[in-house]
Amino acid sequence: MALIKPKQKFVIVSNRLPVSVSRVNGKLEFKPSPGGLATAVSSLDNNAEERLWIGWPGISNEELKPGDKTLIKRKLRQQGCFPVFLDEEQVKNYYGGYSNDTIWPMFHYFQSLAQFNNEYWDAYKEVNQLFAEAVADQADERASIWVHDYQLMLLPQLVRSVMPRSSIGFFLHIPFPSYEIFRLMPNRRELLEGILGADLIGFHVYDYGRHFMSSVLRILGLESSHGSIVLPDRIATVDVFPIGIDYKKFKESVRDPAVVKEIKSLNNHYNKQKVIISVDRLDYSKGIRKRLESYATFLEQNPQYHKKIVLVVIAVPSRTEVESYQLLRDQIEQTVSRINGKYASLDWMPIAYQFKNLPYEQLVALYARADVALVTPLRDGMNLVAKEYVATKQESPGVLILSEMAGSVDELPEALSINPNDSASIIEALEIALTMPKREQRQRLESMQRRLSRYTVQRWATDFMEQLAHSKKVQAERREKDLPEDAKLQLIQDFKKAKKRLIILDYDGTMRELVSSHKPAQATPPAALMQLLQKMIEMPKTKVAVISGRPREVMEKWFGRMDLAMAAEHGAWVKESGEWSQAQVSFQKYKNLILPILERYLERTPGAVIEEKRFAVVWHYRNVAPELAYVRNSSLRHELNHVLENSDIGIHNGHKIIEMKPRGINKGVIAQELLAMYPSDFILAAGDDYTDEAMFEALPEEAYSIKVGLGETHAHFRLPRVKNVLSLLEELTEK
Ligand code: ADQ
């Protein structure tokens, strides 16, 4: 009988489900909630997975009657949807509160509108936890889970903690602000840690990803390299996926009879006027007021356009329960009335305003008819209206005026771009747009359409899922070296039966957790570690060596009384049979060249520290602001390269350090000396950083070499953390 493998699950998690439940005339009503995400997901390859969607159904517990939950669950399940039920209070504080009254304004640079309130934060944590439970109920560790947006930033880590091996993607649909804004958030650390639970973290544009990585570095102290952040248990990847639209649907809609009918009716209504459109959710980030004011100034300065143009403003009701949104609506409506009151005549209204959600046919008809689309957000993650307008302009051309602050501007460079805070630039763009020759309009549209037709919303979703699978594959490759249980048992067995045993251990990051301060002297060995080392030393037929980059004096102070072989400063000093001896290389002459250069840089680089060792000079920049460090380090390296050219002094990049030392001194040379001095039939070596790689390379094939952490390595095996090394050593000392 053939075994049927259960389908791998693909779970989408977003605040709202693609189906909304509401109560109309006492009865529950199920309606599709519009949105690009549902289209994107439905277009993903069907074969591989069983697809589920987890989210809030849009109705609060208080609105439900007994038995409703069961009914809703059953109905939604038929469409692959699983509801997370929320109380009114939770919706108020998690959604209206922390999501839309704290994160939204902060992430769109409206710091003064942000409310920091403990109730909001508590509800945000509580609801993210409820979502995590819902995910755990539906998915297992083989599932691919894709979490969406700012309402669920804690979710990736919450899911990771119960399903450590699952594939988790996170996509942020709004901007990620610069560190200078993000650092103001009281819960900044938890938010970053929450997102970092994901394997793949996606943003619309490169700058948002860059801001995220800079906050991760400054707040959590984690560096990233080419978009990879090495965490103790995983590598998280940060990448850019600019969301697209269902291009074909918009392109073809202009031939849909219902749309053709709408276009006709618009043509009849505005037969002698040029139509400018303004379409957004009613949100302060969209810059609607400034847009209206600029339009009023345009009318003031250009009376020749009176009666010849109309601005059609469509504002979709949004977050009507949040006070700042209610206020904004009043302000916009007053502005519209004032402008109409001032410029209207009996046969002309300069602004046609509607506060409603337009049916799709009417919306695309409006796009198709509009001569100009005025899209001027003050800040916008992407902005799909701009893309939809371009896609719909297939028959009659038109001009897109687009804010530089919208993520979509990168993909739409042929639009007339404006600074939304600069009325003069909006007015000038309107003048250019209203007089632009049709041929030029078409040329600009065609290049934009070519681009949008390639990276569609379907392609966006597929791309994201492919990259998620890829990032899992990269992790698995790194994992291939994880010390498996059987290899560990073999190691212990080989150790037990060996006639002579040599154990070579690095100190910082291998036997002792790295300390985060720039005072390395604080990482003294704890008593338990000293006891463990002593037990190892007392084992028969065993030689233990500690080789470190630390100065000889420190090593002597800590371990001087123990019967250990030691190497300090990566092998510049070696202690054997109780005596320290020095490598025969000359460094002093170079030190005299290097130190004055470093001292000059030190004065201009707050936070930097110079460490002088006998056979090395180290520039520590852990506590330097990362951007400054970047600038200083590159010019420092440039100068040092020049001075040390043709010498046998190497310049090495380490973990937030630059180290200058003679090439002949490294842990590889010391490992070879130890091997010669203590011929053994069991060799174990462990280390965590780039200096240990020379040691791993120098060891014979049969040695057990262990890298601590996930970085690339020549070692045969890998252990995740210091504590795993210590427990392995403990096991060796057990009788
Ligand atoms: P939004 O802030 O909602 O999205 P946007 O990208 O412009 O902004 O999407 C709005 C959607 O609503 C469009 O698909 C549009 O067709 C529709 N719409 C607008 N006005 C309408 C009306 N009056 N009637 C009917 N439909 C209307 C968030 C981020 C964006 C990001 C998207 C997607 O704020 O920056 O582009 O998510 O990631």
Side-chain angles (χ1 to χ4, degrees), residues 499-504 541-547 563-566 574-579 670-684 699-700:
K499 296 195 181 70
K500 283 247 177 227
R501 321 188 270 213
L502 174 62
I503 300 176
I504 311 175
K541 310 177 284 183
T542 308
K543 188 70 201 171
V544 184
V546 178
I547 59 181
D563 182 18
L564 285 172
M566 279 196 277
V574 177
K575 185 177 184 185
E576 216 290 304
S577 314
E579 292 294 322
I670 295 304
Q672 273 166 347
E673 281 179 22
L674 288 168
L675 292 170
M677 252 183 292
Y678 305 101
S680 308
D681 53 346
F682 174 90
I683 302 158
L684 168 66
L699 296 175

Side-chain angles (χ1 to χ4, degrees), residues 273-297:
Q273 282 160 353
K274 287 207 169 186
V275 174
I276 304 166
I277 51 160
S278 152
V279 177
D280 338 63
R281 262 186 322 98
L282 193 133
D283 194 298
Y284 47 82
S285 65
K286 304 287 181 185
I288 306 174
R289 270 178 71 199
K290 192 85 186 173
R291 189 182 309 162
L292 292 171
E293 295 296 355
S294 304
Y295 178 67
T297 316

Side-chain angles (χ1 to χ4, degrees), residues 34-36 104 108 149-150 171-175 204 208 243-245 250 278-283 285-286 313-319 354-360 363 367 375 379-386 388 406-408 460:
W104 180 274
H108 288 84
D149 228 359
Y150 61 101
F171 190 84
L172 187 71
H173 289 259
I174 64 174
H204 284 311
Y208 308 158
I243 196 170
I245 55 168
F250 281 91
S278 152
V279 177
D280 338 63
R281 262 186 322 98
L282 193 133
D283 194 298
S285 65
K286 304 287 181 185
V313 177
I314 312 285
V316 192
S318 175
R319 304 170 195 172
Q354 291 182 44
F355 178 60
K356 67 168 169 199
N357 207 336
L358 282 192
Y360 177 75
L363 181 70
Y367 287 153
V375 185
R379 205 55 81 157
D380 211 337
M382 174 53 72
N383 194 295
L384 295 179
V385 169
E388 293 166 0
S408 50
W460 166 80

Side-chain angles (χ1 to χ4, degrees), residues 392-653:
T392 313
K393 296 307 292 178
Q394 297 292 335
E395 282 163 15
S396 63
V399 183
L400 172 64
I401 300 178
L402 181 59
S403 164
E404 289 165 13
M405 312 301 164
S408 50
V409 79
D410 289 2
E411 292 165 276
L412 303 171
E414 293 82 1
L416 298 179
S417 67
I418 53 96
N419 174 352
N421 298 303
D422 177 7
S423 265
S425 82
I426 301 181
I427 292 164
E428 196 195 336
L430 274 174
E431 283 164 2
I432 298 172
L434 290 168
T435 53
M436 187 184 284
K438 289 221 167 1
R439 218 174 121 235
E440 184 180 347
Q441 296 185 21
R442 285 212 168 85
Q443 277 169 351
R444 287 174 183 253
L445 283 170
E446 277 163 16
S447 341
M448 296 193 276
Q449 285 166 345
R450 263 198 302 277
R451 228 165 287 127
L452 296 185
S453 65
R454 282 197 291 261
Y455 205 79
T456 59
V457 71
Q458 292 86 349
R459 182 72 204 111
W460 166 80
T462 317
D463 189 18
F464 188 92
M465 293 315 291
E466 283 170 1
Q467 288 308 316
L468 178 58
H470 178 73
S471 60
K472 261 334 222 199
K473 212 172 118 211
V474 171
Q475 285 183 27
E477 280 164 12
R478 293 277 169 102
R479 280 253 147 71
E480 278 169 10
K481 288 190 169 178
D482 278 5
L483 184 65
E485 200 48 37
D486 53 348
K488 190 173 125 187
L489 293 176
Q490 185 66 50
L491 183 156
I492 296 173
Q493 228 179 57
D494 288 351
F495 177 81
K496 298 239 146 103
K497 65 174 198 244
K499 296 195 181 70
K500 283 247 177 227
R501 321 188 270 213
L502 174 62
I503 300 176
I504 311 175
L505 300 165
D506 166 51
Y507 179 69
D508 294 278
T510 302
M511 286 195 279
R512 172 77 161 91
E513 291 293 354
L514 294 169
V515 290
S516 55
S517 100
H518 65 277
K519 296 192 180 113
Q522 284 176 351
T524 46
L529 173 60
M530 296 302 276
Q531 278 163 19
L532 172 62
L533 276 175
Q534 193 53 42
K535 269 205 269 178
M536 287 164 54
I537 292 167
E538 284 165 13
M539 286 188 299
K541 310 177 284 183
T542 308
K543 188 70 201 171
V544 184
V546 178
I547 59 181
S548 161
R550 286 186 174 264
R552 174 177 66 120
E553 296 74 21
V554 176
M555 298 288 285
E556 180 62 23
K557 190 170 142 207
W558 289 347
F559 307 114
R561 267 161 290 156
M562 293 177 135
D563 182 18
L564 285 172
M566 279 196 277
E569 296 192 28
H570 305 297
W573 290 95
V574 177
K575 185 177 184 185
E576 216 290 304
S577 314
E579 292 294 322
W580 283 101
S581 60
Q582 197 185 117
Q584 293 308 307
V585 283
S586 114
F587 186 50
Q588 194 55 43
K589 149 174 130 186
Y590 292 105
K591 245 188 187 177
N592 297 344
L593 289 173
I594 297 167
L595 279 172
I597 300 177
L598 294 188
E599 274 152 18
R600 188 152 43 77
Y601 274 79
L602 188 71
E603 287 164 10
R604 298 183 293 135
T605 316
V609 174
I610 300 171
E611 189 188 358
E612 191 187 339
K613 302 182 195 177
R614 192 166 174 104
F615 286 103
V617 177
V618 189
W619 170 256
H620 290 263
Y621 61 87
R622 171 182 287 278
N623 289 349
V624 179
E627 287 77 12
L628 179 65
Y630 179 78
V631 174
R632 289 286 186 268
N633 292 351
S634 48
S635 64
L636 175 63
R637 281 192 71 106
H638 183 75
E639 261 189 67
L640 291 171
N641 273 330
H642 187 66
V643 170
L644 300 176
E645 211 174 33
N646 303 325
S647 76
D648 62 349
I649 307 301
I651 306 174
H652 307 272
N653 278 327

